[in-house]
Amino acid sequence: MQSKESDHISTSQNFILAKGLDTYSDSGSEVVSSAMEKIKVSLTNIASAIPSAEDCEDFQVLVRLEAPAAEGKLQRRASVDIVTVLDVGRSMGRQAAPLLKKTSRLDLLKRAMKFVITQLHDDDNLAIVAFNSKVLHEHTTGFFQIAGARMYAEKMVGELAAKGETALQPGLEHAVKILEERPGKANRPGFILLLTDGVDNSKTKWNEEHMNQVRRDILRKYPVHTFGFGVAHDPETLLFIAQESNGGTYSLVDEENLDKITDALAICLGGFPSVCAFDVDIRVSTNASNGNLTSIDSGFYESDTTKQAKGSGGFIKVGSLYAGEVMNFILHFHLLPDSSYTNLYSVDAKYKVTPGGSTYVYADYPSGYQTISRPTVVMDPKRPPLQVLEQILRFKVLDMVASLLQETDEFKAGLKNIEGSEKDRAAASTLLRSKWEDLKTKWTEEDEIIKSGGGHLDVRHGLEDEIGEMVTRIKEGNNGVAYICAWLSSNGVQRATTMGSSNDIATCLSLTPSMKAMLEESDYFQSAVPVELESSGEAAAAAAWPPTTQWHMPKPQQHMHMHMPMPQQAPAAVVVGTVPLAFETTGGSSWIMEQRLEAWSKVQRELLLMSQDTEDHQLAAVREAALEAVTRAMHHDVYLAVVRGASNNLRWSGCGAGELHKPAMPPPPTEDYCGEDDEDAAPMNFTTPQRFHM
């Protein structure tokens, strides 16, 4: 999993480090100071002392990289450029699931794309690449700023139709071309999202054996985040593409969770605007007289070791970091016998604050050589630090699973899902379980030592559950290889992805604050825009009212004014799944539902930015009341959409044009409504959401 590239290590780099400043330029011509909170590097040795006569062949050091957390959970660090590469091959037209009879996979993809469009900031740029066996230029765009173009983007997505075979290379190459040709690309991070449910039907092979340098160079220009839907896609191809790219990930959405594609995109999308560091580069140097750096555990990140004039060295290239992210790496040293203290190694780290810039910023890291005590006898040996053992175990399991997937024919034969024989699947699951038990034996002993000192190796139990899930899926032929690939991706790049659904996140990882916030936005979106209604007409409208949320407000202690923009006019109906979001009314004018929902969502985001930690209890009460009121208004608008949509479809057979049947259904909440059980609830009227008062 480590790169063979070692020529980047040099003891005579051409850079200037100014006294009192914390940045440098490779060219030597630019030296500036950084005022922002910096990335932090911490180092933890497996032991503080080693007997002087001992030749220690594997002395481990944990390198921990921590990005500063965003001040607010919705705070943005940068405007981004995103290219969505959408598979519209024939298979995308299949029914999404037995319970979604009127919804195809492409419908769900369109719905997820609408979420992306609504969540992008006005300063962000979006490009859409539609492909099957080739790029469909009539459904493909260049970059456009999302401000003022959301309806255009939705129109482009809404017109997509499933047809043809699938070939990944044309779409990926076109996406990179769009990113490369944008003006000012050095100041804006670029990302590629590849969404597909099928297998590459072209002759292109996506693996190490068939990878030429041209395709490798194309992939490594930008992060490619791949998403595989259902059981028919090729997870190994999508993992390989993500792994070869500059920090990409692979996310799995199981067949039974296809209606949650939006969640998978939300977790990925949440990290983009919070990027706080680019081209993160960690360097390690050792003292030749005391020991050597023998290897680095870096997962899917590029790393290597090399000999230098005065010792050995190494590097880890991390790429970009999101606000609040933590990365862990293990250095392995060979310590030679020594009679005193060993000045073993030094570590430094640098990064850029803008993509493609020339100025690097030094991270906060321990300066100078790190020493190891070398007494004749270690009188009171300390127990190994728990955090070091956890990461050593995680990397060992990562290597074990990756090796099984890549190198063991017996294991690969059992990963053919339903097509593989039951005997092969049983053999593969048994092999994986056996490898895990062998590895776990040593760590069970270590765990007992740690527990006696008051700690506990919790990560082992989380890994136990995930290995168990792999074994079960392999036995049942239930997307076993896809789950394994998603697990490898998450742990290889140490970044959360979906391993079947948004509830399946790797044990050793956690969502960053911005990912959590985006996942909450996804929940809001999916509750406001359901996949499909079980019935139509009066039943559908009745099912939408009353809402499940109890709409009432405590009496506020202070007033707040919020101004809402009036909906813009547009003649077309926009449909996501089977839910009408815009439709013509009886008077011939257009009701733009998505604009109203977007306006309410904007108010929700602004309210969430209000400090939740404030000591002003009155302000906090108003904030919570306002959020509840906005939810009420959104439900009201959705209700009106359903009612009017049903009315338009239910005409009297003898009526003239424009005269509509009035179905019997509950009256809309045009009058002030309060919760029936709350006598103190303050009434509010949301019939005209242009402005409201509290």
Side-chain angles (χ1 to χ4, degrees), residues 118 172 194 206 229 236 338 367 531 533 557 636 660:
T118 59
L172 285 172
L194 171 63
W206 297 93
F229 310 143
E236 290 183 88
D338 199 343
S367 61
V531 175
L533 299 174
Q557 301 296 319
H636 177 261
L660 301 180

Side-chain angles (χ1 to χ4, degrees), residues 122-139:
D122 286 351
D123 293 334
D124 294 334
N125 292 328
L126 177 67
I128 300 169
V129 176
F131 75 95
N132 45 35
S133 60
K134 60 183 179 179
V135 174
L136 303 178
H137 292 282
E138 65 273 22
H139 299 295

Side-chain angles (χ1 to χ4, degrees), residues 61-130:
V61 176
L62 170 64
V63 179
R64 185 177 178 88
L65 199 64
E66 296 182 70
E71 295 177 5
K73 69 176 184 177
L74 291 177
Q75 179 185 357
R76 296 175 57 83
R77 296 279 180 134
S79 298
V80 298
D81 297 337
I82 299 175
V83 184
T84 55
V85 184
L86 311 178
D87 178 5
V88 293
R90 187 182 301 109
S91 61
M92 288 295 289
R94 297 174 185 164
Q95 179 181 327
L99 296 179
L100 304 175
K101 296 181 179 180
K102 299 179 181 180
T103 305
S104 70
R105 298 180 182 190
L106 186 56
D107 289 331
L108 297 178
L109 177 60
K110 292 178 181 181
R111 178 172 178 258
M113 277 299 300
K114 176 178 173 60
F115 173 75
V116 173
I117 292 166
T118 59
Q119 292 303 313
L120 291 180
H121 192 266
D122 286 351
D123 293 334
D124 294 334
N125 292 328
L126 177 67
I128 300 169
V129 176

Side-chain angles (χ1 to χ4, degrees), residues 397-405 432 467 470 484 487-488:
V397 177
L398 180 65
D399 287 340
M400 177 195 76
V401 176
S403 297
L404 280 173
L405 185 63
L432 175 58
I467 296 295
M470 293 179 196
I484 290 172
W487 184 91
L488 286 171

Side-chain angles (χ1 to χ4, degrees), residues 476-488:
E476 297 175 352
N478 178 24
N479 249 4
V481 66
Y483 181 87
I484 290 172
C485 287
W487 184 91
L488 286 171

Side-chain angles (χ1 to χ4, degrees), residues 484-660:
I484 290 172
C485 287
W487 184 91
L488 286 171
S489 178
S490 292
N491 284 274
V493 299
Q494 301 184 55
R495 186 163 285 161
T497 68
T498 55
M499 304 189 304
S501 75
S502 59
N503 295 322
D504 296 321
I505 304 295
T507 299
C508 301
L509 305 172
S510 60
L511 299 176
T512 66
S514 60
M515 290 177 180
K516 291 178 182 178
M518 192 64 75
L519 199 52
E520 290 176 4
E521 291 287 330
S522 176
D523 290 339
Y524 290 142
F525 174 85
Q526 292 177 90
S527 64
V529 187
V531 175
E532 69 173 0
L533 299 174
E534 294 181 358
S535 55
S536 59
E538 298 182 27
W545 182 264
T548 56
T549 303
Q550 187 178 8
W551 289 349
H552 67 275
M553 288 187 61
K555 289 181 179 178
Q557 301 296 319
Q558 66 186 70
H559 293 278
M560 181 185 303
H561 300 277
M562 293 191 182
H563 299 269
M564 303 299 298
M566 289 297 290
Q568 301 175 10
Q569 300 297 315
V574 180
V575 178
V576 176
T578 60
V579 180
L581 294 182
F583 47 83
E584 294 191 2
T585 60
T586 57
S589 61
S590 297
W591 180 275
I592 309 302
M593 185 62 194
E594 76 279 6
Q595 292 293 319
R596 296 174 69 93
L597 289 179
E598 184 176 337
W600 290 125
S601 296
K602 182 178 180 181
V603 174
Q604 281 182 325
R605 290 193 292 271
E606 290 174 351
L607 288 170
L608 287 171
L609 289 175
M610 296 172 63
S611 175
Q612 299 185 45
D613 301 323
T614 179
E615 296 181 0
D616 189 336
H617 298 294
Q618 292 183 351
L619 181 60
V622 171
R623 173 185 177 277
E624 295 304 316
L627 283 171
E628 188 173 2
V630 169
T631 302
R632 172 181 176 175
M634 293 178 73
H635 276 286
H636 177 261
D637 280 349
V638 172
Y639 166 78
L640 289 179
V642 175
V643 170
R644 299 191 184 207
S647 298
N648 281 341
N649 292 326
L650 296 172
R651 296 176 180 270
W652 288 105
S653 59
C655 289
E659 297 182 55
L660 301 180

Side-chain angles (χ1 to χ4, degrees), residues 12 16 51 88 100 126 132 147 161 190 223 229 274 298 340 463 634 678 681:
S12 59
I16 296 176
V88 293
L100 304 175
L126 177 67
N132 45 35
F229 310 143
S274 69
S298 62
S340 181
L463 291 170
M634 293 178 73
D678 190 350

